[in-house]
Amino acid sequence: GSGIAQVVAQAGFQVTIVELDDAAIERGLKRIERGLEKGGDDGSARARITGSTDLEAAGASADHVIETVIEV
């Protein structure tokens, strides 16, 4: 999911990552930040990414929703 969020933010869209807890949000944001740094992002894509644990609130203001699930 973090790769999808990164690409969508780089395309110029606002992105909200929804996770079960703040620790999971932080892990996802760290993965995204590493990818953006490797790609030479000037900070603008990262500025478009936020995190939330409130699915209902995030979905209420969304134009599009992409769901990702880890398959084990």
Side-chain angles (χ1 to χ4, degrees):
S2 59
I4 294 169
Q6 177 182 330
V7 170
V8 172
Q10 287 175 306
F13 295 94
Q14 290 294 129
V15 176
T16 302
I17 299 170
V18 179
E19 289 286 357
L20 296 176
D21 56 45
D22 290 332
I25 292 170
E26 288 304 315
R27 287 190 302 272
L29 290 174
K30 293 284 185 209
R31 282 191 297 272
I32 292 168
E33 288 167 358
R34 283 192 302 268
L36 291 171
E37 286 173 9
K38 287 180 183 178
D41 180 59
D42 63 1
S44 60
R46 175 60 185 91
R48 287 189 285 273
I49 303 171
T50 58
S52 177
T53 57
D54 188 343
L55 177 60
E56 188 173 332
S61 63
D63 291 326
H64 296 57
V65 175
I66 301 171
E67 179 183 19
T68 62
V69 178
I70 297 173
E71 295 183 21
V72 289

